[in-house]
Amino acid sequence: MNTEDLVRESLRRQADRAPAPGPVLAALHRPRRGRTLAKAVAAVVTMLVVAAGVVALRQNLADPPPPAAPPLPVGYSPGWLPDGFAEQGRTYSPDGTVSRIWGREPLFPKQQSGPVADPWLGMSTGPYREDLVLDDEFGGVTGSLSAIAKSGTTTFTWLPDPAVGTVVSAVVEQVPDGRAVLEQVVRSTRPDSATTSVPLLVGSGPHAVRGTPDDWRVEVSDARWEDALFTAALTTRQPFIGGKPVVVRGVWGIVGEHGVAVEVAPDRWLSVQPVPGMLGMIPEDRLVAIANIARVDPHPDLSWLGKR
């Protein structure tokens, strides 16, 4: 997959595949008059035992987790952006490519599938490919220029420093005077020593981050572990409601028809769900096993969200 695809497709397709939460059963059944005091006492004791178990298990939430993965270098960043544009999402690919997107509207975690809010601007940095042909001149820089009139997309890919071997690709879509804006972005791009964290590592597939600093979603889409094809996510919202209790990662979680979910830290949820078409084909114990092997950083540095 080339860098343009990573910007256009990986960030577009990060949708919350979890179904809408169902109603919560909150009514408590009134005990029958014939129930004996002994039964009532036994019920209370059972509740206390279960509660004690939950507290003991949840103590593990305070344990500091190891980082999910070594940070990836950003490589290059634009020194100029159109007015009102802020960074809204990033995608990390297995080959080390980092793709970033800027726009005027946040990409909220619950946003459904479909195009991101236009206009938007993206940039990817990644390793050089032998099949890359750089024979166009654009703004005084040699690279590869392409345009898709139907979507209003213009992309320029270049190699800023052959000795470094990092390819940069910048793309604009539905941006007024897009070609002129892209030229300014290319001219302003400079090396950036900053790194970006990978909060969730499990299976294969691109990792995408979207949202706001207080409400975000990290997703590994269409990942594979052994013979299981799944989507894993780390979110600030409980992904779904309903299911039966199950111990996941040393704490109580839930498992059911939607997949498995567990709170790995306060207001931080890890979920593993079959991809569409695979529902019911991955046993519950396999979903739990995948959640157990995931490397998670529940408090990643996402300070770049919403900033230029």
Side-chain angles (χ1 to χ4, degrees):
M1 181 177 290
N2 60 38
T3 50
E4 179 181 353
D5 289 337
L6 287 171
V7 176
R8 290 179 53 81
E9 297 299 331
S10 295
L11 284 171
R12 283 174 180 270
R13 296 179 57 208
Q14 305 315 311
D16 189 350
R17 294 192 176 97
V24 179
L25 298 178
L28 296 177
H29 296 287
R30 187 186 302 274
R32 291 195 297 269
R33 291 183 179 178
R35 180 170 293 179
T36 64
L37 178 61
K39 289 183 177 180
V41 171
V44 171
V45 171
T46 300
M47 292 175 61
L48 291 175
V49 170
V50 172
V54 172
V55 171
L57 286 170
R58 287 181 60 83
Q59 286 178 347
N60 292 337
L61 294 178
D63 297 340
L72 293 175
V74 169
Y76 290 83
S77 291
W80 176 90
L81 290 168
D83 290 340
F85 274 48
E87 193 168 0
Q88 310 295 1
R90 291 183 179 180
T91 296
Y92 319 122
S93 297
D95 67 352
T97 297
V98 176
S99 302
R100 306 159 68 189
I101 191 169
W102 291 263
R104 294 193 175 98
E105 299 294 334
L107 304 177
F108 289 105
K110 284 292 192 181
Q111 180 173 312
Q112 297 301 309
S113 60
V116 299
D118 291 326
W120 62 273
L121 180 153
M123 177 171 285
S124 293
T125 59
Y128 176 76
R129 307 186 316 272
E130 293 294 336
D131 61 339
L132 194 61
V133 178
L134 306 176
D135 55 4
D136 295 321
E137 193 77 17
F138 183 67
V141 180
T142 301
S144 176
L145 180 67
S146 65
I148 303 175
K150 184 177 181 179
S151 61
T153 305
T154 305
T155 306
F156 185 68
T157 302
W158 75 104
L159 188 64
D161 185 352
V164 175
T166 298
V167 175
V168 180
S169 182
V171 56
V172 293
E173 182 168 307
Q174 299 297 329
V175 175
D177 300 321
R179 192 180 179 100
V181 168
L182 184 63
E183 184 173 334
Q184 290 191 65
V185 170
V186 171
R187 286 179 171 177
S188 72
T189 297
R190 298 290 184 272
D192 190 339
S193 61
T195 59
T196 186
S197 63
V198 181
L200 176 61
L201 188 64
V202 60
S204 59
H207 298 53
V209 180
R210 71 189 313 166
T212 68
D214 299 322
D215 186 11
W216 46 263
R217 176 182 179 88
V218 181
E219 182 174 292
V220 185
S221 60
D222 297 348
R224 183 178 294 277
W225 182 62
E226 296 181 352
D227 59 343
L229 190 62
F230 62 93
T231 292
L234 176 66
T235 61
T236 55
R237 307 183 186 190
Q238 184 170 349
F240 55 83
I241 297 174
K244 59 186 179 183
V246 64
V247 176
V248 188
R249 304 175 67 87
V251 299
W252 286 113
I254 54 175
V255 64
E257 60 177 333
H258 303 315
V260 61
V262 61
E263 192 176 21
V264 294
D267 298 322
R268 300 290 187 270
W269 287 83
L270 170 67
S271 64
V272 179
Q273 299 173 267
V275 299
M278 295 287 289
L279 191 63
M281 298 181 65
I282 303 179
E284 292 179 354
D285 60 348
R286 176 59 62 86
L287 293 174
V288 171
I290 295 172
N292 284 335
I293 67 169
R295 297 181 62 183
V296 179
D297 179 3
H299 300 290
D301 179 8
L302 302 181
S303 58
W304 49 267
L305 274 169
K307 295 183 179 180
R308 291 175 62 82

